[in-house]
Amino acid sequence: MNLNLNDMLSESLFFGFALSLLSYWLGTVIQQKVKHPLCNPLLLSMIFCILFLKLTDVTYDTFNYGGKYINYLLTPTTVCLAVPLYRQFQVLKDNLAAVLLSVLAGALSCILVVLGLAAVTELDRTLTISLMPKSITTAIAMGLSEEVGGMPAITVMAVIMTGLFGNMIAQVLFKFLHIEEPVAQGLACGTGAHAIGTAKAMELGEIQGAMSSLSVVVAGIITVAAVPVSLQMLKVFF
């Protein structure tokens, strides 16, 4: 029966796409009812998809035959993040120096933390390179990882986990550290947790969403420039 189901769905353009959307919708419903940071719609949708594939023995290739088309929306979605930034352009002008310095410090810190942990844990070079772009958006991270000799699959996993973790703890962390400035909240979300963090920033407010959108772009540019330079540092450890 499972084999027949897999055969029936193997050439379906809609199965993977529909399963992804349905799983995410269920995740949003649960989040609205439970209202807990761990009930993140993206995290829940991943769990639902994995459970469905495991329980039905439907292969990943079958799922990805239609599900891969969601990936095509990554780039235009990232571009759309410029809309809230445009609406809050005056806020950016008033805080330009602080914004640029904050994003620069955050982006470089993400890379240095990976290098430091890699040295302590004696992580091999390929995995270290794959983890270095973990805090930038997937559309940029995949290309950067492949270009510098990493494994894009590992990079995507690291990017998703980083974004999910940042999305889940952002609001709690802001309360714990008494960070109430909207600009600071937005920059932290975007620089540390890229587009998934920006989703949380938009929930917090329009200024937070605009600043997070900006930091996603700037952090991506800084990381693309900084990673090749940082690779020279790896020679000290490997």
Side-chain angles (χ1 to χ4, degrees), residues 43-62:
L43 176 61
L44 292 177
S45 66
M46 292 168 59
I47 295 173
F48 294 152
C49 286
I50 292 172
L51 286 176
F52 182 88
L53 297 182
K54 284 292 185 181
L55 293 174
T56 59
D57 284 338
V58 174
T59 65
Y60 174 75
D61 288 338
T62 298

Side-chain angles (χ1 to χ4, degrees), residues 181-220:
E181 170 58 47
V183 174
Q185 291 179 346
L187 293 175
C189 287
T191 304
H194 51 82
I196 302 178
T198 301
K200 171 58 66 175
M202 289 181 173
E203 293 178 14
L204 298 176
E206 189 170 357
I207 294 178
Q208 289 92 327
M211 293 300 102
S212 186
S213 301
L214 171 68
S215 61
V216 168
V217 177
V218 177

